[in-house]
Amino acid sequence: MQVIDLRGVSCPTNFVKAKLALEELDNGTVARILLDDGEPVKNVPRSLKADGHRLIGLKQVDEGHYVLELEKIDA
Amino acid sequence: MADVKQTKVDLNNLKAGGFIKERGKDLFTVRLRVPGGRMSVPRLKKIAEVAEKFGGEFVHLSVRQSIELININFKDFDAVVEELGEATQKVASCGARVRVPVACGGCEYNPNGLVDTQKSALEVDEKLFGTPTGHHKFKVAFAGCPFDCPKSATNDIGFQGAIYPTLDTDACIGCGLCAKSCVPGAIVMGDDNRPIFSDAPCIWCGDCVKVCPTGAWSEAKRGYTVRIGGKWGRNPLVGTLFATFLPEERVAEFIATVLEWYKEKAEGFGRVRLGDTIIREGAQALLDHLQGRFPGYTVTATIAPQVIATQVGSSR
């Protein structure tokens, strides 16, 4: 499983970093994106959806951050 | 005998205002008409040319999205109007008239935008710009979503884009993104891992629809939340709710209906704004006037515009 760790990265740098990381992946790859609570978890999933990727799920883990699972879709 | 040259100025150009006297002798500010703040690049170039030729060293960006040419000699009015006209740039208004509407970027490129505020601003500008109110200025603003960057409720009529969400439970995968995105707390996740929606806290921002991965959340209604009677300046008022989910295509008609009431009810009271007229007549009087024409969109009850205590100057 590809993990893109964006904890400690603020908006919009986290979204741009996610875009760059997803560029490296093959179409259809499922990735986990780690996001901080607050603005990042509110903004980044929505922006990635708008880019055409398929959001699969979102879970908050014990450490407090969120794990967004998505499938990379080539636009 | 001195060679006296008679200055010629086409007074028709001055009818809607927009030529504002400056401190210096003979000098005026020319306020340009830029509905919604959208300026095509060719028009911008033409304005720069005209400013360079007739104006001072700078232009001013007004707080209501206009470009204002500074230090224009009144003898050049006709030439300025003519040269701007080559780029279809018109002069704006001032005084007791319907002003140029302001708007945010809308929904074409702004991901928050829910309605096409640019289209609304252009339509209202075309149909109502410069209409004399008989009493005082009349300002209109369009915000594309409830985040309301244009501060719609500080206008005589303020429009705020809105959508009402609805959930298709079968399509929901229980990811919880909607609940996480819902700042006002209208959506919480239930014990069955499905969202529970409460109507009261919802501000109709549509974030749930935008974030939903499967399209389980979708819009049931779209339109404008309409607040009336706001103003800023000496004694500020915040406009209050008169209509919800007003369709975009009925905006101009709605404003015209409010204007009709304002023209009549403020008669004989001097230079008075719409908000103060509503306070005097009672909010219900305006609501009654609107309910017949816009059933299904007007609210059942409302309150008068709200006074903002600025702590300077006791309200009358």
Side-chain angles (χ1 to χ4, degrees):
Chain A
M1 177 72 70
Q2 288 284 336
V3 176
I4 304 167
D5 188 353
L6 298 174
R7 287 174 296 173
V9 186
S10 55
C11 304
T13 312
N14 47 17
F15 172 54
V16 176
K17 280 186 102 164
K19 281 172 77 75
L20 294 172
L22 287 167
E23 269 185 11
E24 305 291 314
L25 305 183
D26 292 330
N27 190 34
T29 308
V30 173
R32 282 195 178 140
I33 301 180
L34 314 189
L35 295 165
D36 288 326
D37 197 1
E39 289 300 304
V41 74
K42 286 183 182 116
N43 293 335
V44 176
R46 179 177 141 184
S47 302
L48 290 170
K49 181 195 168 192
D51 271 6
H53 303 295
R54 191 170 75 83
L55 309 189
I56 298 166
L58 180 79
K59 278 193 187 74
Q60 188 166 26
V61 297
D62 292 341
E63 298 97 302
H65 67 270
Y66 282 81
V67 180
L68 174 74
E69 205 170 281
L70 68 67
E71 181 186 346
K72 187 238 170 112
I73 306 287
D74 278 326
Chain B
M1 200 172 167
D3 182 18
V4 180
K5 208 171 153 194
Q6 181 71 40
T7 303
K8 276 192 184 159
V9 174
D10 183 353
L11 298 176
N12 283 324
N13 285 337
L14 311 181
K15 268 188 181 165
F19 298 84
I20 303 150
K21 201 200 158 304
E22 293 179 2
R23 287 171 186 258
K25 183 178 182 292
D26 294 345
L27 297 180
F28 285 74
T29 289
V30 179
R31 178 181 289 164
L32 303 183
R33 190 168 156 190
V34 189
R38 183 166 297 189
M39 169 63 63
S40 78
V41 176
R43 260 169 76 206
L44 185 59
K45 283 184 179 166
K46 187 71 197 178
I47 290 167
E49 259 177 50
V50 173
E52 201 165 41
K53 188 167 169 186
F54 297 102
E57 287 176 1
F58 53 86
V59 297
H60 179 245
L61 303 180
S62 84
V63 294
R64 284 184 63 89
Q65 302 182 314
S66 162
I67 293 179
E68 293 173 333
L69 306 180
I70 308 300
N71 291 352
I72 302 291
N73 192 299
F74 82 105
K75 291 173 185 169
D76 292 327
F77 279 178
D78 291 1
V80 165
V81 169
E82 195 192 323
E83 291 200 23
L84 288 170
E86 290 166 11
T88 65
Q89 177 60 57
K90 295 184 176 116
V91 175
S93 65
C94 57
R97 301 178 180 89
V98 175
R99 303 297 182 83
V100 180
V102 300
C104 67
C107 60
E108 297 150 281
Y109 56 90
N110 182 329
N112 289 323
L114 302 171
V115 293
D116 194 344
T117 57
Q118 287 290 320
K119 190 177 165 197
S120 296
L122 278 178
E123 188 194 337
V124 168
D125 184 63
E126 196 187 308
K127 291 183 174 162
L128 297 170
F129 165 81
T131 308
T133 65
H135 313 298
H136 210 318
K137 66 181 87 171
F138 194 92
K139 294 179 174 177
V140 177
F142 294 95
C145 72
F147 310 146
D148 207 329
C149 301
K151 298 175 271 295
S152 64
T154 61
N155 287 260
D156 294 274
I157 307 189
F159 295 87
Q160 193 184 74
I163 67 175
Y164 191 87
T166 181
L167 180 70
D168 171 5
T169 318
D170 293 340
C172 176
I173 56 170
C175 71
L177 272 163
C178 53
K180 194 64 221 171
S181 302
C182 184
V183 178
I187 302 172
V188 293
M189 295 305 279
D191 294 336
D192 61 349
N193 211 30
R194 289 290 175 272
I196 302 166
F197 176 72
S198 340
D199 193 66
C202 182
I203 58 167
W204 313 322
C205 70
D207 278 1
C208 48
V209 176
K210 285 172 188 159
V211 79
C212 180
T214 61
W217 282 107
S218 63
E219 60 177 83
K221 285 192 279 188
R222 172 192 298 257
Y224 281 115
T225 303
V226 189
R227 294 189 175 87
I228 306 182
K231 61 169 190 167
W232 218 246
R234 293 177 180 89
N235 298 98
L237 293 174
V238 167
T240 51
L241 190 66
F242 280 77
T244 58
F245 301 102
L246 183 75
E248 294 171 69
E249 61 272 15
R250 297 200 66 189
V251 160
E253 181 195 349
F254 190 93
I255 298 171
T257 308
V258 174
L259 266 172
E260 194 181 277
W261 185 87
Y262 172 45
K263 280 181 186 171
E264 187 196 324
K265 299 298 178 186
E267 194 59 53
F269 289 94
R271 196 164 167 271
V272 59
R273 286 285 282 273
L274 173 62
D276 295 305
T277 308
I278 296 170
I279 289 171
R280 199 190 52 248
E281 297 286 324
Q284 191 61 41
L286 175 56
L287 195 55
D288 287 345
H289 180 75
L290 292 165
Q291 271 166 342
R293 293 268 282 277
F294 300 92
Y297 304 116
T298 40
V299 293
T300 47
T302 192
I303 52 175
Q306 298 293 290
V307 173
I308 301 297
T310 55
Q311 300 178 281
V312 175
S314 61
S315 47
R316 284 169 291 171

